Amino acid sequence: GVVATPPASASLLTAQQPVSDPRELLRDALPINNKPIRKIQKEIFTKITEAVRVPNVKMSEVQDAVSSSQKVLAKEKNAILKDVIGEAAKQDAKQTLASIETRLNEFQTIIDTKDKQEIPIKQQEVLRLVEKVENDMVGEFPFKIPQDYASKPLLMGRASLEMKLTCKSSTVTNGGTMKIVLDGFNAPVTCGNFVDLIQRKFYDGMAIQRSDGFVVQSGDPGQKKTGFIDPSTNELRTVPLEIMVQGDKAPIYDSTMDDMGRIKELPVLPFNAFGTLAMARSEFEENSASSQFFFLLKESELTPSGTNVLDGRYSVFGYVTEGKELLKEVKQGDTIEYIKVLSGSENLKNGYDPSKQIPESSETVA
């Protein structure tokens, strides 16, 4: 099929490829505003990713990225440290910056010996350290949750999950695990709902309900329920459409970006990565998501931001960061063995707490 020409608004993006790396999207989505650390992040991610994209690596571009980063570190260390919150974190960040310096010097050796295989490995090492410093810059939760949703389960920060899948009909694998990061800084209500359902073991043992090469979807409990029936109300629990637009201080709720007349703008969590995680909903009801979710099986090369049909219409709330190959093998009827929270459960507010539940079988003795 013919791919439509992107609108003019996308041209500033096509100059360099849209970011499709989930970890970079998550770094970009952190609620911080420190120019020097962002400069290092972009030099090391963007320039080097572009340089290794071509068949014979553009070493001059790699050199440029490393030299620029070394300059920023030499000149602006204090400007980086001043945004790190808390004395202990500042000491920690000092050591991390020293490690970044060491890695950049090692990078120089890789460039001098033209060791192309080592470039992406060293790039990831530096970015992991940059991310560590960036995480230490995040202070209070960045906005107030609207009154209508303030008593719902909320994820006031990030959480890492593990999802175990069993594949029955794949010739490649019988299953495995994926790591997922949920971003409550940009979708606290959506993430809170999901973590709450995970704590209830809602998804454990559930089948994959759709796998068509475009998305992998699950979360429909069947029996005509379509979503999660909250035992405390006996009613379907829903979450609003929730989209943080780049440059905004808080998400927009209840409306698509199209409805808001903001078609040319971009969400902070775009459908750019293979394994982007979002909530399914009824097409004509913005606030109808409950428990059904999907993973997108496309990268942004095929659907640049600003031209894909999903951005700004569905709530994205996380990305698969490890093991996404599994999504290519999963078929309808395969099983989610479990989803569990690896870290970040302390960021869940108003949520289900498994440790506080009374076992159902316990009988009271008169």
Side-chain angles (χ1 to χ4, degrees), residues 208 210-217 294-298 310:
I208 296 294
R210 176 179 169 189
S211 174
D212 54 11
F214 181 56
V215 300
V216 164
Q217 185 167 326
F294 65 93
F295 295 104
L296 184 72
L297 307 186
K298 289 270 182 282
L310 299 173

Side-chain angles (χ1 to χ4, degrees), residues 11-291:
S11 62
L12 82 200
L13 292 158
T14 36
Q16 65 189 45
Q17 296 280 7
V19 174
S20 59
D21 179 286
R23 288 183 182 281
E24 182 71 356
L25 289 167
L26 286 161
R27 282 187 284 268
D28 285 347
L30 281 168
I32 62 167
N33 188 17
N34 180 282
K35 293 203 170 64
I37 198 77
R38 287 293 198 201
K39 169 103 168 110
I40 295 173
Q41 180 199 324
K42 287 295 155 200
E43 291 287 324
I44 298 297
F45 179 80
T46 312
K47 269 194 194 155
I48 295 177
T49 304
E50 292 289 322
V52 297
R53 208 185 273 275
V54 291
N56 42 359
V57 178
K58 283 190 190 155
M59 278 297 181
S60 60
E61 286 287 304
V62 180
Q63 177 68 70
D64 191 28
V66 170
S67 303
S68 298
S69 300
Q70 284 171 320
K71 276 195 196 108
V72 173
L73 260 190
K75 279 177 114 161
E76 313 212 44
K77 204 166 282 172
N78 290 338
I80 294 173
L81 290 170
K82 85 168 170 44
D83 281 356
V84 174
I85 291 161
E87 218 28 67
K90 272 196 208 306
Q91 292 310 315
D92 189 36
K94 262 185 197 155
Q95 286 174 322
T96 309
L97 291 176
S99 303
I100 293 174
E101 218 162 322
T102 308
R103 295 295 192 292
L104 291 171
N105 293 337
E106 291 164 3
F107 228 134
Q108 193 56 58
T109 313
I110 292 168
I111 294 165
D112 296 341
T113 55
K114 297 192 168 35
D115 189 348
K116 291 172 189 169
Q117 307 305 303
E118 281 297 312
I119 293 173
I121 298 165
K122 193 57 72 182
Q123 178 195 32
Q124 287 311 315
E125 282 178 22
V126 173
L127 287 169
R128 262 197 294 277
L129 293 166
V130 165
E131 189 175 314
K132 202 165 170 242
V133 177
E134 290 176 342
N135 279 322
D136 282 339
M137 292 176 173
V138 178
E140 295 289 298
F141 192 78
F143 57 89
K144 200 170 174 330
I145 308 283
Q147 204 53 54
D148 288 0
Y149 308 123
S151 60
K152 285 184 176 284
L154 305 169
L155 188 69
M156 310 297 277
R158 289 186 171 174
S160 298
L161 313 178
E162 179 176 274
M163 180 186 277
K164 183 167 197 246
L165 294 159
T166 301
C167 303
K168 299 188 193 76
S169 49
S170 162
T171 50
V172 182
T173 177
N174 53 10
T177 59
M178 299 191 303
K179 295 258 166 57
I180 300 161
V181 174
L182 302 187
D183 186 4
F185 291 126
N186 292 291
V189 182
T190 310
C191 291
N193 174 67
F194 198 69
V195 174
D196 175 87
L197 292 174
I198 291 168
Q199 304 290 44
R200 293 172 188 271
K201 302 193 179 326
F202 179 84
Y203 296 111
D204 296 11
M206 196 175 272
I208 296 294
Q209 290 143 2
R210 176 179 169 189
S211 174
D212 54 11
F214 181 56
V215 300
V216 164
Q217 185 167 326
S218 185
D220 181 349
Q223 296 121 15
K224 301 200 173 114
K225 283 179 185 160
T226 74
F228 171 64
I229 307 296
D230 188 339
S232 67
T233 61
N234 280 329
E235 288 182 2
L236 182 73
R237 186 176 82 191
T238 57
V239 284
L241 186 63
E242 180 176 43
I243 292 159
M244 181 74 92
V245 183
Q246 285 182 19
D248 282 8
K249 293 273 187 285
I252 50 179
Y253 288 91
D254 320 320
S255 298
T256 65
M257 284 171 69
D258 290 9
D259 292 342
M260 302 290 282
R262 303 184 70 177
I263 297 169
K264 291 203 162 90
E265 295 176 72
L266 297 173
V268 172
L269 302 176
F271 279 97
N272 277 13
F274 184 98
T276 299
L277 172 62
M279 290 305 281
R281 62 176 179 86
S282 323
E283 195 180 344
F284 301 109
E285 288 175 60
E286 278 74 28
N287 295 356
S288 56
S290 176
S291 59

